Amino acid sequence: MDLVQLQRQLVDYRTSLYHEGFLDEQFTQLQELQDENNPDFVVEVVSLFFQDSERLLNELSKALEQQIIDFKRMDAHVHQLKGSSSSIGAQRVQKLCIVFRNYCEARNVEGCLKCLQQVKHEYALVKTKLESMFQLEQQISNAGGSIPV
Amino acid sequence: MAEKSFETTSQVCCSTGSESLPILASPMESPLRKVLSRISGFVPSWGKKTAPPGRRIFHRDVEQDEFQNGTAHCLSSYYSVFVARLAIMVMLAILIGLLTVLTWHFTRVYTTKSLNTLAYGLRYELLQRPILRMWNILNSTSEITTAQVKLSEYVIRRYSKPTNQAEQIELYQMMKDITWALFASRKALNAITINYRNGFVQAFHRDHRSNNTFYIYSDLANYSISDTGSYDNKSQSSRQGWNDQFIHGNVSAIWYRQPLDPLTGEKIGKSSQIPPEDLINIAGPSQVPDGVASWHVAVSKYTDSPLLSAALPVWDASNKSIVAVVGVTTALYSVGQLMKELVEVHSGYIYLTSQEGYLLATSTNTPLLNNTAKGPKLMMAANSEDRVIRMGAQWLQKTYGNKFPPGHVVHVEKANLGGQHYYIDSFFLNLKRLPIVGVIIIPRKYIMGKVEERALKTLVILISASVCILAIGCVCILILTNGVSKEMKLRAELISHLDARRRAEASSNYKSQFLANMSHELRTPMAAVIGLLDILICDDCLTNEQYAMVTQIRKCSTALLRLLNNILDLSKVESGKLVLEEAEFDLGRELEGLVDMFSVQCINHNVETVLDLSDDIPKVVRGDSARVVQVFANLISNSIKFTTSGHIILRGWCENPNVSSDSGKFSPDQKKPMSALKTKLKHGNHMKKVSKKDNKMILWFEVDDTGCGIDPSKWESVFESFEQADPSTTRTHGGTGLGLCIVRTLVNKMGGEIKVVKKNGQGTLMRLFLLLSTPADGLEQQRQIDFAKHSVAVILALHGSMGRLIMSKWLSKNGVPTLEASEWNELTQILRELFHARTTNSGFDTHYSLAKPLRSKVQTLQDMKKLVYIIVVDLGLLDLSTEIWKEQLNFLDKFSGQVKFAWMLNHDTSNAIKMELRKKGHILMVNKPLYKAKMLHILEAVIKESYVEPQNRSPNGTKGTSKQGDSHECLEIDSTQFETCSSDDSDISEMTGANSVSSVGIREQLKEGTILKSGPPTLRNCLVEFTRLGLEVNNLRTEEDQCNGRPKFHDTKDVKCENPNSSEQPLVRSNVKDRDNSYTTNKAASEQKSLEGLRLLLAEDTPVLQRVATIMLEKMGAVVVAVGDGAQAVEALNCELDGDENRTNRLQTEICDSPPYDLILMDCQMPMMDGYEATKAIRKSEERTGWHVPIVALTAHAMSSDKEKCLKVGMDAYLTKPIDYKLMVSTILSLTKRSTKG
């Protein structure tokens, strides 16, 4: 594929991510932090995020299956998820986390379950989006082109 | 009793209270419940009625509650109170009734009993006395009889054998004397008879009725003495013949009666023969058949009462035969007499009967004897003529018949005799031969009548008393329960209020939570808008006009964001938690910016916005700039809302005697503020004192508009929350009515006051003063250029009359001659006048059109030589609707050699016009409105240019020199821009230097663009003490100003070097956030490492965040050690403390006794040990060493309460997630600088 076309595609794709609210300026900041010292910084952080989030989501699912639900613990988990998602700029996940925390505080099991599903969904979405973006970047760098900022 | 009943009432009341107030303390509930259930047992329907609402209230729904509380609560409490009252009253009634009955009963029973015993005694006594009398009578009778017998025996024995008549007579005489003696000794005796064996009878008789005494004897002739001898012999045989019949039938015997003197016994009359029927009872031998004494009751014709007669035989000496029979008769009359006497005293009836029922004596006067043909006979009691006695006897007869109880003793308490009640008592006196029964009948009325009457009265009194008590008790209960129920109601209300308050507090808590969330949500899109605008501004393909517009949008967005923050701050203002910051700021410039902003709005309204600040207002004051601006923004926007035409003037002057005397010369309407000052002097007096001491100043401001005005009655209330002068304004003008309320709160907070002041003419005049301090060094005034020296003159050709007037006055004060023109024609006249006259020396043709004062002014100007004329032309003067404006421009162009033009542009001035102007060489262009600072700048520019001109002037001046271009750009952008190129800029930037923490506030940050360009790497050294919102605002402001600064920077670059650096270009286009980054990449590597040499400890559990923050900080040159939780952080710190050597090896430059880390970034929410705990632990361990490692909190909570919590545990600053790069750096720098300094 044409390199220029690929680059344009990447830019478009990234813009669409911003437009659709998957990412916010925090992600941009993240990208800015990437330089020759840390060439794979964004990928590294994002994969950290994936690991962390998956762990947290598993914990949350488990916690919600319990007979007696430890809302305090869940709240702490959601808080963490919120923190990490806001750090990489996955703002849709972050917003859901805010709602999720409210449900936790209200000890609303149904709301929590609903929210967990939504968070999972959003997380999966953002994950695929980011992964495909990284794929594109990979393609570009494989093709020898520079990644447009 | 009363106490008792009250006790019960109070108990009942309590229980009812608990029923109607189930929210009352629950532990009290159970005992009360019991009482209640008992009561409700009495009144089952009530319990059923009230219980359901109680339960409902317990398990109520929060939402339902409000609705139902009103009706159900009221109803149930009404019922319960009513029923409780009823129950109490009934109980009271029962109690009192019982007590009454008991009291009455007992008193009556006891009285009756004692009375009965008394009455019994009385009756007994009463009856006993006549019986005793009877007994006496009997006794005396028997005694007499016995005495008579003994005497007779003695006498007869003496004359036992009378041999002859004489002896016989002597014997009889002797007997007569003896008998008389005895008879006379006893007055009560009726008669004494001696019946001899031979039939001779001697008798004494007393007739009580006639009070005569008689001696009765039989004829002696018929009796032979011999007879007596045979009498002895035949005593046994002839006993039959010796009887009454014999006596009475002894016809042969002649009876004589001889009256006697009752006292002496002497014969007082002749004895007369009496018929036998007149004889008295003479006891014969028949009465003593067995020779013993006998008793019987007899009647005689001489007395109407029965007689008691006793008979005793007189035995002869051998005691073998009876020689005579002695009979003694006593009247029972005296017994009756006694009875009568008794009855007279005691009332009632007494009678005595024989055992057979014959009446012997009664207490009445009725006759006791029946007068039959055969003479008087004894009468039965049942036949008595006295009604009561008869009925009593009949009653006894009927009740007992012949079977009397033993001893005939009867006590009957209530015998009904002829409709009346009587006591009947009978006693039995068992005399030998003559048993007697006594009966006493006493009317019950007599004894018990009073008692019963009294008892009745007592009963009536008792009942009435108890009814009274009951009534009073009921009233008392009513009052008491009323009070109690009222209290209960109040308490219920209180409780419900408390409940409501708690809920309200909770909801306000939710609200603030909501606001905290919303603040994030709202600010994010705003930040995006601003960011996008910044990108747009950075784009250099914008035309200047577009650029200006975008800048305007940028400003408005910033204002909107500020507004948002202010709205979020409102709760803080309202609750009084607002803390004003204390920072230096340029008051004039803030207000100018404000007027600029509002003038855009006003132009559409045809309203002129004028800023009129007196020169004595200090340039820099200390205070909360954001709040001050908010005050005026609210006031002005309020004025704009209600002003459709005319002007809005913001006036300001300073009340400070030393300054106002020399420089307070300028004010548009000097009298008014001065007079106002005087009126306020009292008010401001104490303020003045304060102000002198603290270097504080009272700054007076007025916002004067020509709107619809406020009704004087509303002058106070407009400052209340949600209050508007006219309710209809919401419809026409919108708004919430909060603006002025916030204003007043803020003004009061700043030690000032605001009120509406009376105004001449239309509109509203709000006057306020603020107490602001000036910086210690701050009284030296801004430089004043002596314009008079430069000999400039200004022609103000402006539309707005107010602004023009004020400006011209100010200019004249400063020694600049001015001319005014309000329209095009006037301007041309002035120009012609000025210059044609000068060139041709004859301006007569136009003279007529100028008014006299103007002309004189013009002439004085003409007289002055070498003046530099500046014409400030409002673009609105030109006829822009047609093409005429070009001709007008050409006309003006003719004068361009002699005058300088400064154009006042509208915001919507079209690009074509600007281009045209520029083409013509008019480079001084200023946006409306015109105020002092702009004017000053125009003057300065002209003066400078006039110096430069001779050397370097090109006819087509578009960007002729970089300087000119620069200034022209500046002017066109806005007021904030010329600050950058104004002369004092450099000093400030120098002064700012490396650390501007304390001395310079927000303003300095405006210049960061320039600072960054030239100076050392100082990033924003914000005061950490700034409130978060303040930081936000400041931050945005810096961004804004940076953006404004940027294009200039690029412009100059563009001008200087045609090909911009290829690496720079994309960076400039990138997001706002990376500007610092881009700057730093532009600069040398050494400059970007602002955190070089700092050792930071990062405690963060989220790996993502940890990584991001680490990279961020490392990029700035810091050494970062990251740990996963609070415990590790504490450990890391302690390790470093212990491992001194290690540390010194690594950081040789550091002094040994300084802390291992320069700063700690601490996440608040972490597993194991959270940030608060960790901080506490660190602070505790630090006590040993005396160090103070700055700790910065990182939290995702955006609430100020979290901030307080952080600071409380010993943290030094506070950052919110996601981490703002710049803010973090500035915070770190300020903290590390301070700590190393300290």
Side-chain angles (χ1 to χ4, degrees):
Chain A
M1 210 188 278
D2 191 5
L3 188 62
V4 182
Q5 208 176 341
L6 267 176
Q7 281 177 338
R8 188 172 300 154
Q9 200 183 340
L10 176 62
V11 171
D12 285 348
Y13 190 68
R14 201 184 283 163
T15 323
S16 75
L17 285 185
Y18 282 106
H19 277 297
E20 287 162 28
F22 285 110
L23 298 175
D24 61 9
E25 74 266 24
Q26 202 65 30
F27 189 74
T28 322
Q29 213 169 347
L30 219 61
Q31 282 181 320
E32 281 157 20
L33 286 170
Q34 180 168 317
D35 56 9
E36 55 274 7
N37 293 338
N38 300 293
D40 290 328
F41 176 66
V42 176
V43 179
E44 180 194 342
V45 170
V46 169
S47 47
L48 260 177
F49 167 68
F50 289 157
Q51 284 171 18
D52 196 38
S53 305
E54 263 153 39
R55 178 180 63 83
L56 287 170
L57 285 172
N58 278 336
E59 294 263 353
L60 282 172
S61 312
K62 265 188 225 161
L64 267 174
E65 281 161 16
Q66 299 295 318
Q67 205 69 25
I68 299 148
I69 296 169
D70 187 353
F71 281 104
K72 219 169 171 184
R73 208 174 132 75
M74 279 187 50
D75 190 55
H77 286 321
V78 180
H79 183 69
Q80 272 199 6
L81 187 60
K82 187 183 143 205
S84 54
S85 59
S86 73
S87 301
I88 69 144
Q91 56 169 331
R92 280 165 75 154
V93 178
Q94 182 202 347
K95 278 171 192 164
L96 269 173
C97 285
I98 294 171
V99 181
F100 202 161
R101 286 197 70 185
N102 287 343
Y103 279 125
C104 281
E105 269 171 44
R107 297 179 169 267
N108 184 343
V109 182
E110 275 177 40
C112 283
L113 277 169
K114 209 176 80 190
C115 256
L116 182 65
Q117 288 311 314
Q118 285 175 342
V119 167
K120 274 184 175 169
H121 177 68
E122 281 298 335
Y123 167 71
L125 266 179
V126 83
K127 190 179 176 183
T128 42
K129 298 266 180 190
L130 283 170
E131 272 169 354
S132 51
M133 192 174 82
F134 291 143
Q135 229 163 15
L136 263 176
E137 280 180 7
Q138 194 67 36
Q139 278 177 12
I140 291 168
S141 56
N142 284 349
S146 65
I147 294 159
V149 182
Chain B
M1 167 211 123
E3 259 178 15
K4 212 173 171 182
S5 74
F6 282 136
E7 242 173 60
T8 48
T9 32
S10 66
Q11 234 173 4
V12 171
C13 287
C14 282
S15 68
T16 52
S18 80
E19 176 64 15
S20 59
L21 302 172
I23 328 155
L24 267 174
S26 50
M28 262 175 60
E29 198 64 29
S30 54
L32 290 174
R33 275 265 156 196
K34 275 181 205 161
V35 177
L36 181 75
S37 65
R38 209 174 299 159
I39 288 166
S40 58
F42 283 113
V43 196
S45 63
W46 175 52
K48 272 171 205 161
K49 247 180 222 169
T50 47
R55 210 161 298 135
R56 191 177 59 219
I57 290 162
F58 272 124
H59 306 289
R60 68 194 159 187
D61 223 346
V62 181
E63 282 84 1
Q64 264 186 345
D65 170 48
E66 277 164 37
F67 178 73
Q68 288 184 340
N69 236 2
T71 52
H73 211 256
C74 179
L75 208 68
S76 73
S77 72
Y78 170 78
Y79 272 125
S80 58
V81 166
F82 176 75
V83 171
R85 277 179 194 165
L86 211 72
I88 297 160
M89 284 174 194
V90 165
M91 283 173 69
L92 188 71
I94 289 168
L95 253 169
I96 290 174
L98 262 173
L99 279 161
T100 312
V101 168
L102 280 176
T103 316
W104 181 75
H105 176 73
F106 282 120
T107 34
R108 189 168 168 274
V109 161
Y110 282 119
T111 322
T112 315
K113 210 178 219 175
S114 57
L115 267 176
N116 272 344
T117 40
L118 272 175
Y120 177 75
L122 176 73
R123 272 153 20 213
Y124 186 79
E125 197 61 32
L126 274 180
L127 206 59
Q128 210 62 32
R129 282 166 71 178
I131 286 173
L132 269 177
R133 175 63 62 92
M134 194 75 190
W135 182 250
N136 277 347
I137 289 167
L138 285 174
N139 263 353
S140 60
T141 311
S142 75
E143 266 166 35
I144 293 288
T145 315
T146 318
Q148 180 67 32
V149 166
K150 292 294 169 203
L151 283 172
S152 304
E153 275 177 3
Y154 172 72
V155 171
I156 288 168
R157 264 179 222 153
R158 227 173 117 182
Y159 301 95
S160 55
K161 299 284 182 208
T163 52
N164 56 19
Q165 195 75 22
E167 266 181 303
Q168 192 83 15
I169 288 170
E170 199 180 340
L171 167 72
Y172 291 142
Q173 191 60 44
M174 183 71 78
M175 284 299 290
K176 183 190 165 189
D177 289 343
I178 293 166
T179 310
W180 171 251
L182 275 174
F183 184 73
S185 70
R186 295 286 170 134
K187 298 285 186 217
L189 292 182
N190 189 266
I192 297 180
T193 59
I194 306 165
N195 191 2
Y196 296 97
R197 197 173 159 183
N198 58 2
F200 182 71
V201 170
Q202 281 181 308
F204 287 96
H205 168 69
R206 242 185 223 123
D207 187 356
H208 283 281
R209 281 184 295 192
S210 56
N211 212 12
N212 291 324
T213 311
F214 302 100
Y215 174 59
I216 296 167
Y217 60 95
S218 55
D219 187 11
L220 268 176
N222 291 341
Y223 306 103
S224 59
I225 294 163
S226 57
D227 263 358
T228 51
S230 65
Y231 183 77
D232 286 332
N233 301 330
K234 293 192 276 181
S235 64
Q236 299 298 110
S237 58
S238 66
R239 187 153 294 179
Q240 286 303 114
W242 205 55
N243 52 21
D244 287 333
Q245 223 166 24
F246 162 74
I247 294 168
H248 286 288
N250 192 3
V251 191
S252 60
I254 302 160
W255 298 84
Y256 300 97
R257 190 167 63 178
Q258 189 174 37
L260 295 176
D261 182 72
L263 296 172
T264 56
E266 297 295 317
K267 288 180 204 164
I268 53 168
K270 269 205 123 175
S271 56
S272 60
Q273 199 176 355
I274 51 162
E277 60 267 23
D278 276 357
L279 274 175
I280 54 162
N281 274 333
I282 290 165
S286 60
Q287 280 173 333
V288 280
D290 43 359
V292 288
S294 82
W295 295 90
H296 73 104
V297 177
V299 288
S300 99
K301 92 184 220 198
Y302 299 104
T303 59
D304 49 3
S305 68
L307 300 171
L308 183 70
S309 59
L312 264 181
V314 180
W315 301 91
D316 62 352
S318 59
N319 212 6
K320 294 232 171 95
S321 64
I322 297 165
V323 285
V325 175
V326 173
V328 176
T329 313
T330 315
L332 288 176
Y333 174 76
S334 65
V335 177
Q337 205 65 35
L338 181 73
M339 283 177 177
K340 270 176 207 158
E341 276 164 26
L342 285 173
V343 161
E344 257 168 42
V345 180
H346 297 288
S347 90
Y349 307 89
I350 306 172
Y351 68 92
L352 295 176
T353 58
S354 64
Q355 198 167 11
E356 293 80 31
Y358 292 105
L359 268 180
L360 297 183
T362 67
S363 61
T364 54
N365 290 322
T366 48
L368 297 169
L369 305 174
N370 261 344
N371 279 317
T372 55
K374 286 180 186 172
K377 280 245 173 99
L378 276 172
M379 182 191 276
M380 291 294 283
N383 299 328
S384 164
E385 278 174 40
D386 190 85
R387 198 175 130 264
V388 175
I389 292 171
R390 188 179 64 228
M391 285 193 298
Q394 281 169 355
W395 188 86
L396 279 172
Q397 187 88 42
K398 208 168 76 187
T399 312
Y400 297 101
N402 291 323
K403 289 175 267 174
F404 271 98
H408 274 273
V409 178
V410 172
H411 296 292
V412 178
E413 288 194 349
K414 222 174 185 180
N416 192 354
L417 304 181
Q420 276 195 307
H421 294 285
Y422 291 91
Y423 284 106
I424 298 177
D425 302 87
S426 73
F427 304 93
F428 184 65
L429 188 67
N430 197 8
L431 294 175
K432 205 172 185 185
R433 299 281 185 89
L434 187 64
I436 290 175
V437 176
V439 174
I440 180 163
I441 301 172
I442 295 179
R444 209 184 147 77
K445 204 165 63 186
Y446 169 67
I447 294 171
M448 297 306 288
K450 283 276 167 62
V451 173
E452 269 158 11
E453 197 185 348
R454 283 280 154 79
L456 204 73
K457 272 182 190 169
T458 318
L459 186 67
V460 168
I461 289 169
L462 265 174
I463 286 173
S464 51
S466 54
V467 164
C468 279
I469 290 173
L470 190 69
I472 291 167
C474 287
V475 170
C476 283
I477 287 162
L478 264 181
I479 291 165
L480 198 81
T481 49
N482 238 5
V484 170
S485 71
K486 250 178 216 166
E487 198 192 317
M488 287 298 167
K489 265 179 211 159
L490 282 177
R491 216 175 278 176
E493 239 166 73
L494 187 74
I495 286 169
S496 67
H497 281 178
L498 281 177
D499 205 40
R501 206 183 78 181
R502 209 181 49 232
R503 255 181 289 152
E505 273 167 5
S507 79
S508 95
N509 225 1
Y510 285 134
K511 200 174 79 186
S512 53
Q513 202 77 34
F514 169 76
L515 280 178
N517 289 337
M518 278 311 283
S519 69
H520 190 83
E521 306 299 304
L522 286 171
R523 271 185 278 133
T524 313
M526 274 315 288
V529 168
I530 290 169
L532 287 169
L533 283 171
D534 285 338
I535 295 169
L536 201 59
I537 287 169
C538 294
D539 201 340
D540 56 351
C541 61
L542 282 179
T543 63
N544 279 328
E545 292 72 37
Q546 285 171 330
Y547 179 74
M549 254 183 285
V550 172
T551 314
Q552 202 67 48
I553 298 171
R554 178 69 171 73
K555 277 174 77 176
C556 291
S557 313
T558 317
L560 178 57
L561 189 64
R562 186 150 51 177
L563 212 74
L564 275 177
N565 286 329
N566 284 347
I567 290 166
L568 298 169
D569 224 24
L570 183 68
S571 56
K572 252 165 121 189
V573 178
E574 293 285 306
S575 61
K577 281 180 196 155
L578 177 79
V579 180
L580 292 175
E581 51 180 276
E582 191 77 3
E584 288 176 16
F585 67 98
D586 188 336
L587 180 66
R589 199 214 294 250
E590 291 289 350
L591 295 180
E592 282 158 13
L594 204 61
V595 171
D596 275 335
M597 201 172 84
F598 281 110
S599 69
V600 183
Q601 252 177 299
C602 290
I603 281 165
N604 303 333
H605 282 82
N606 194 23
V607 175
E608 197 186 351
T609 321
V610 183
L611 176 69
D612 172 18
L613 297 177
S614 88
D615 285 345
D616 57 2
I617 285 197
K619 187 169 168 59
V620 179
V621 294
R622 285 185 72 83
D624 193 329
S625 63
R627 303 298 166 203
V628 172
V629 168
Q630 196 182 0
V631 166
F632 290 109
N634 281 348
L635 286 176
I636 293 173
S637 67
N638 193 53
S639 288
I640 287 173
K641 220 188 275 176
F642 299 106
T643 308
T644 47
S645 66
H647 56 257
I648 295 162
I649 306 175
L650 173 59
R651 281 193 206 98
W653 69 95
C654 177
E655 187 190 303
N656 197 336
N658 12 333
V659 188
S660 63
S661 57
D662 52 13
S663 60
K665 50 209 165 183
F666 176 70
S667 94
D669 191 355
Q670 213 166 8
K671 268 178 197 163
K672 204 200 271 174
M674 285 318 282
S675 64
L677 251 180
K678 269 171 201 159
T679 58
K680 283 243 170 176
L681 213 61
K682 267 187 200 166
H683 212 73
N685 240 350
H686 62 286
M687 292 293 190
K688 234 188 235 173
K689 280 174 197 160
V690 176
S691 70
K692 272 182 186 171
K693 206 164 54 184
D694 287 358
N695 202 13
K696 286 210 167 180
M697 308 189 95
I698 297 173
L699 297 176
W700 286 90
F701 295 96
E702 273 179 357
V703 177
D704 185 356
D705 67 46
T706 54
C708 58
I710 299 172
D711 189 80
S713 63
K714 298 263 185 175
W715 281 1
E716 265 305 308
S717 62
V718 285
F719 294 109
E720 305 292 331
S721 297
F722 303 108
E723 191 72 40
Q724 290 184 329
D726 181 3
S728 64
T729 47
T730 315
R731 249 173 290 134
T732 50
H733 303 287
T736 55
L738 272 177
L740 288 179
C741 174
I742 297 172
V743 166
R744 188 170 67 171
T745 321
L746 288 174
V747 167
N748 288 345
K749 194 96 185 167
M750 286 184 233
E753 263 179 41
I754 182 164
K755 62 163 145 185
V756 184
V757 174
K758 197 169 183 299
K759 185 191 172 184
N760 297 328
Q762 205 195 9
T764 316
L765 179 60
M766 301 249 193
R767 181 172 293 159
L768 65 131
F769 69 87
L770 299 175
L771 202 62
L772 294 172
S773 58
T774 50
D777 55 335
L779 274 183
E780 40 88 36
Q781 287 294 309
Q782 67 272 36
R783 84 246 114 84
Q784 283 278 5
I785 295 168
D786 191 0
F787 295 109
K789 238 180 5 201
H790 296 287
S791 62
V792 286
V794 177
I795 300 170
L796 294 170
L798 298 172
H799 253 325
S801 56
M802 211 58 204
R804 196 178 63 227
L805 191 76
I806 288 165
M807 187 50 68
S808 75
K809 274 194 178 170
W810 178 71
L811 285 173
S812 332
K813 287 265 151 58
N814 282 289
V816 180
T818 38
L819 287 173
E820 293 175 50
S822 61
E823 48 164 359
W824 175 251
N825 286 343
E826 218 173 322
L827 176 67
T828 52
Q829 290 295 344
I830 291 170
L831 286 175
R832 276 199 199 120
E833 184 88 1
L834 267 176
F835 299 107
H836 285 238
R838 204 153 74 166
T839 47
T840 63
N841 255 344
S842 64
F844 53 90
D845 53 333
T846 52
H847 276 194
Y848 64 95
S849 63
L850 277 179
K852 267 213 167 168
L854 197 57
R855 210 169 72 195
S856 62
K857 262 192 182 176
V858 169
Q859 269 165 352
T860 50
L861 282 183
Q862 278 176 336
D863 294 341
M864 295 169 74
K865 294 294 167 192
K866 283 181 75 184
L867 274 179
V868 180
Y869 286 96
I870 303 167
I871 307 181
V872 181
V873 193
D874 191 345
L875 204 63
L877 287 184
L878 303 185
D879 191 352
L880 295 174
S881 51
T882 58
E883 288 295 300
I884 297 172
W885 65 272
K886 284 190 176 165
E887 284 168 32
Q888 288 173 325
L889 232 119
N890 285 335
F891 170 78
L892 288 180
D893 218 23
K894 283 192 278 181
F895 302 97
S896 60
Q898 291 134 317
V899 299
K900 304 284 177 213
F901 286 100
W903 289 93
M904 300 299 301
L905 303 181
N906 282 340
H907 293 270
D908 50 356
T909 305
S910 74
N911 213 14
I913 296 170
K914 285 185 192 169
M915 291 302 286
E916 191 65 32
L917 285 173
R918 216 166 285 161
K919 240 188 257 168
K920 300 269 181 197
H922 303 299
I923 46 167
L924 274 171
M925 287 189 236
V926 182
N927 270 341
K928 271 185 181 176
L930 180 66
Y931 43 74
K932 261 164 45 186
K934 281 183 187 171
M935 192 68 219
L936 218 63
H937 189 70
I938 292 171
L939 288 171
E940 273 172 20
V942 169
I943 290 164
K944 262 183 219 165
E945 198 186 0
S946 66
Y947 286 135
V948 175
E949 202 178 0
Q951 303 128 20
N952 180 14
R953 192 173 188 273
S954 62
N956 272 351
T958 324
K959 300 178 183 177
T961 61
S962 66
K963 197 171 183 181
Q964 247 179 13
D966 203 14
S967 66
H968 126 73
E969 291 289 347
C970 294
L971 282 171
E972 212 171 22
I973 293 160
D974 76 332
S975 62
T976 49
Q977 275 314 305
F978 44 77
E979 180 77 25
T980 13
C981 46
S982 70
S983 55
D984 62 341
D985 186 28
S986 54
D987 341 322
I988 294 171
S989 62
E990 269 168 34
M991 190 176 80
T992 323
N995 107 61
S996 55
V997 184
S998 60
S999 60
V1000 195
I1002 308 153
R1003 270 303 137 198
E1004 273 56 53
Q1005 289 163 22
L1006 294 173
K1007 284 147 217 130
E1008 243 148 25
T1010 45
I1011 296 159
L1012 278 170
K1013 189 168 65 180
S1014 56
T1018 39
L1019 286 161
R1020 276 132 300 270
N1021 295 351
C1022 299
L1023 284 173
V1024 194
E1025 284 79 21
F1026 284 175
T1027 60
R1028 202 179 54 77
L1029 284 171
L1031 272 175
E1032 209 69 46
V1033 171
N1034 293 342
N1035 199 19
L1036 283 164
R1037 288 187 73 103
T1038 58
E1039 282 173 24
E1040 164 198 346
D1041 289 311
Q1042 270 173 351
C1043 296
N1044 293 341
R1046 278 305 300 266
K1048 182 167 62 67
F1049 164 59
H1050 284 292
D1051 275 351
T1052 47
K1053 282 218 163 175
D1054 284 356
V1055 172
K1056 277 169 185 166
C1057 38
E1058 284 301 313
N1059 288 329
N1061 198 340
S1062 58
S1063 70
E1064 188 182 338
Q1065 205 54 6
L1067 276 166
V1068 172
R1069 284 166 190 273
S1070 70
N1071 195 293
V1072 197
K1073 292 277 179 183
D1074 70 333
R1075 250 178 297 124
D1076 289 290
N1077 209 3
S1078 64
Y1079 278 125
T1080 49
T1081 47
N1082 273 343
K1083 306 300 148 199
S1086 61
E1087 279 177 10
Q1088 86 171 62
K1089 303 262 181 185
S1090 50
L1091 299 177
E1092 184 76 70
L1094 289 179
R1095 275 178 57 78
L1096 306 177
L1097 179 67
L1098 173 69
E1100 168 64 63
D1101 63 321
T1102 318
V1104 182
L1105 251 175
Q1106 197 184 52
R1107 187 82 187 103
V1108 171
T1110 311
I1111 292 293
M1112 268 187 187
L1113 293 167
E1114 276 176 353
K1115 265 186 181 290
M1116 297 301 289
V1119 180
V1120 182
V1121 177
V1123 290
D1125 62 47
Q1128 284 177 30
V1130 176
E1131 203 179 309
L1133 203 69
N1134 290 339
C1135 269
E1136 291 293 326
L1137 282 174
D1138 299 335
D1140 253 311
E1141 273 177 68
N1142 204 10
R1143 188 166 56 85
T1144 40
N1145 283 344
R1146 265 198 295 178
L1147 302 161
Q1148 279 149 359
T1149 48
E1150 271 196 285
I1151 314 153
C1152 281
D1153 56 0
S1154 71
Y1157 295 103
D1158 295 304
L1159 189 130
I1160 302 169
L1161 284 162
M1162 183 78 74
D1163 185 19
C1164 286
Q1165 271 200 337
M1166 284 185 292
M1168 309 288 285
M1169 186 190 248
D1170 68 10
Y1172 306 115
E1173 290 299 317
T1175 308
K1176 277 186 202 163
I1178 291 168
R1179 289 288 176 246
K1180 206 173 173 189
S1181 66
E1182 274 176 353
E1183 280 172 12
R1184 299 184 278 146
T1185 58
W1187 295 329
H1188 184 92
V1189 183
I1191 298 177
V1192 177
L1194 288 173
T1195 106
H1197 301 289
M1199 295 298 291
S1200 50
S1201 61
D1202 290 311
K1203 183 192 170 190
E1204 270 151 36
K1205 196 176 170 190
C1206 291
L1207 298 183
K1208 212 172 115 189
V1209 297
M1211 298 189 182
D1212 300 78
Y1214 170 89
L1215 288 171
T1216 52
K1217 289 187 208 170
I1219 298 164
D1220 186 287
Y1221 187 77
K1222 288 173 290 173
L1223 197 61
M1224 179 172 76
V1225 171
S1226 62
T1227 308
I1228 291 171
L1229 272 178
S1230 67
L1231 280 170
T1232 49
K1233 284 257 165 59
R1234 196 170 59 177
S1235 63
T1236 47
K1237 253 207 246 168

